[in-house]
Amino acid sequence: DAGITQSPRYKITETGRQVTLMCHQTWSHSYMFWYRQDLGHGLRLIYYSAAADITDKGEVPDGYVVSRSKTENFPLTLESATRSQTSVYFCASSGSSKETQYFGPGTRLLVL
Amino acid sequence: GENVEQHPSTLSVQEGDSAVIKCTYSDSASNYFPWYKQELGKRPQLIIDIRSNVGEKKDQRIAVTLNKTAKHFSLHITETQPEDSAVYFCAAIADTGGFKTIFGAGTRLFVKA
């Protein structure tokens, strides 16, 4: 589990500000994912990436932007944060689309 | 849209009893079904998974069954222990014609000593 890290672990921001959440993995996994976790909704996929420079939308992509210039990093940017984006964000990685997804420790984001 | 329904939302059992959590999915393209355990304030961790060409899989006290016809899969925990107390999530993943992963809303399991 130490092979996938997220930063920051906690973030407080204000409505309208840009926020970037970082995700780094050391396993050279091809796939990386961003989820948000809210009470009553479980985990919802925001974006995923099958390889460097290949990204695609998940279930709830609106308001988020991702990039993947290097295999090991997959940052998630909230271009103009809204209160509805207050959540716990988890990054995950896996070797293929049908292998175990290993989750990072999560980032708790509060948008005031 | 596609969804995964998970029941029950809360489950309380006595130590030593069995616990069963059920999930139903809607996307017939789903072909991989993992189960995750999440303790309070921690990250989800895989406990068992099953692929669409298998009907049942067991790992010590944990087993998962899959009925593709009914689009239904279940988690079975036998001889429950207090450390099994956590939130459990099922997921259905489809990787044909694009990639989709849909999680259930979770089941909070309490194991009473």
Side-chain angles (χ1 to χ4, degrees), chain B residues 19-87:
Chain B
V20 180
I21 302 170
K22 299 180 179 181
C23 289
T24 303
Y25 62 98
S26 60
D27 187 354
S28 56
S30 296
N31 52 16
Y32 174 56
F33 306 91
W35 285 88
Y36 288 86
K37 175 183 180 182
Q38 187 177 28
E39 297 175 351
L40 189 63
K42 300 284 182 65
R43 70 190 81 188
Q45 293 196 302
L46 182 83
I47 54 171
I48 196 166
D49 58 9
I50 192 166
R51 288 167 173 77
S52 59
N53 58 347
V54 175
E56 185 173 354
K57 183 177 177 180
K58 189 173 181 182
D59 183 5
Q60 299 183 334
R61 297 187 296 111
I62 295 172
V64 58
T65 58
L66 172 65
N67 182 332
K68 280 208 72 182
T69 304
K71 295 182 185 170
H72 176 91
F73 58 114
S74 300
L75 177 71
H76 305 253
I77 306 174
T78 58
E79 301 171 26
T80 54
Q81 300 165 3
E83 50 265 39
D84 293 331
S85 297
V87 179

Side-chain angles (χ1 to χ4, degrees), chain A residues 35-75:
Chain A
Y35 293 91
R36 60 178 290 173
Q37 185 173 38
D38 307 289
L39 275 175
H41 287 281
L43 290 145
R44 290 183 291 176
L45 182 65
I46 304 170
Y47 269 96
Y48 70 96
S49 168
D53 296 322
I54 301 175
T55 63
D56 209 345
K57 296 178 181 179
E59 187 183 354
V60 289
D62 293 343
Y64 303 95
V65 174
V66 293
S67 62
R68 194 153 174 222
S69 57
K70 292 184 177 182
T71 300
E72 61 266 30
N73 296 325
F74 190 38

Side-chain angles (χ1 to χ4, degrees), chain A residues 1 4 33 35 37 40-43 45 48 59 90 97-101 103-105 108, chain B residues 31-32 36 38 41-46 49 51 89 93 95 98-99 101-105:
Chain A
D1 287 345
I4 182 164
F33 312 85
Y35 293 91
Q37 185 173 38
H41 287 281
L43 290 145
L45 182 65
Y48 70 96
E59 187 183 354
F90 285 101
S97 59
K98 279 204 294 285
E99 288 184 13
T100 302
Q101 290 185 27
F103 283 80
R108 290 184 178 274
Chain B
N31 52 16
Y32 174 56
Y36 288 86
Q38 187 177 28
K42 300 284 182 65
R43 70 190 81 188
Q45 293 196 302
L46 182 83
D49 58 9
R51 288 167 173 77
F89 293 97
I93 295 175
D95 66 349
F99 178 88
T101 177
I102 306 289
F103 277 77

